[in-house]
Amino acid sequence: MAAKYPLTAGEEVMSKKAHGTCDKPVQENLRWGVDREVADRICCFNRHYAEHSGYWVKTKFLSEVDKTGETTYYDSVTGKPLFIAPRGRTFEEFKAESSSHGWPSFRDEEVVWDNMRCLANGESISVDGTHLGHNLPDKKGNRYCIN
């Protein structure tokens, strides 16, 4: 029996569009003080690389995120929800796993599958062509390491 996740897409989702693989640039005023130029380069003009490991802890994320409930994480281009976390674990577990890998790491139950897919090579993308990161499975299952 085939695994239920990740849901996959064909390479055509990442075809050239008006702004790299995206229809438009990333939004202005990204949450947590994320650098828009860096986000735009990684999300719309990149298929393989990421910002440096640990970048997310240098933003305002840890001081501003809700540590007691779930947080919705959105596509920086379209604004569509991509992940809702933590689910099935505590914020401290989410933070510890993300810290150990260098990038926010999400699990299958935290993905909004209407809006996120993976390509055959493990690249995690939005259904609209935003590069998000990669699926790097471990002994616990799929782990979506997101830029």
Side-chain angles (χ1 to χ4, degrees):
M1 182 164 96
K4 183 176 179 182
Y5 296 114
L7 296 182
T8 58
E11 188 65 34
E12 68 277 0
V13 176
M14 299 304 284
S15 64
K16 185 163 176 43
K17 299 179 185 71
H19 190 76
T21 61
C22 304
D23 287 329
K24 58 187 177 185
V26 299
Q27 299 173 34
E28 300 282 342
N29 303 314
L30 297 173
R31 286 164 89 179
W32 304 306
V34 170
D35 184 289
R36 183 174 185 255
E37 183 179 318
V38 170
D40 193 59
R41 184 176 66 248
I42 290 169
C43 293
C44 299
F45 294 96
N46 165 62
R47 299 290 307 280
H48 305 288
Y49 303 104
E51 72 283 1
H52 61 272
S53 176
Y55 172 80
W56 68 284
V57 297
K58 294 175 176 70
T59 68
K60 297 176 188 173
F61 175 78
L62 290 174
S63 64
E64 294 181 1
V65 71
D66 179 1
K67 296 173 185 71
T68 63
E70 294 180 339
T71 297
T72 301
Y73 300 83
Y74 299 92
D75 184 321
S76 60
V77 176
T78 67
K80 292 178 181 178
L82 297 170
F83 305 96
I84 302 171
R87 283 195 170 161
R89 57 184 171 165
T90 66
F91 176 79
E92 287 304 316
E93 291 167 327
F94 167 80
K95 178 183 164 191
E97 180 173 77
S98 298
S99 295
S100 72
H101 295 290
W103 289 269
S105 296
F106 300 91
R107 297 294 178 166
D108 286 336
E109 61 271 15
E110 297 171 323
V111 178
V112 179
W113 288 107
D114 288 343
N115 301 322
M116 203 280 275
R117 298 287 187 275
C118 283
L119 300 180
N121 67 0
E123 182 179 1
S124 299
I125 62 171
S126 78
V127 296
D128 298 294
T130 307
H131 170 83
L132 304 174
H134 289 84
N135 179 20
L136 303 170
D138 61 15
K139 65 183 179 191
K140 296 178 188 175
N142 292 312
R143 181 174 56 83
Y144 308 97
C145 209
I146 302 304
N147 304 331

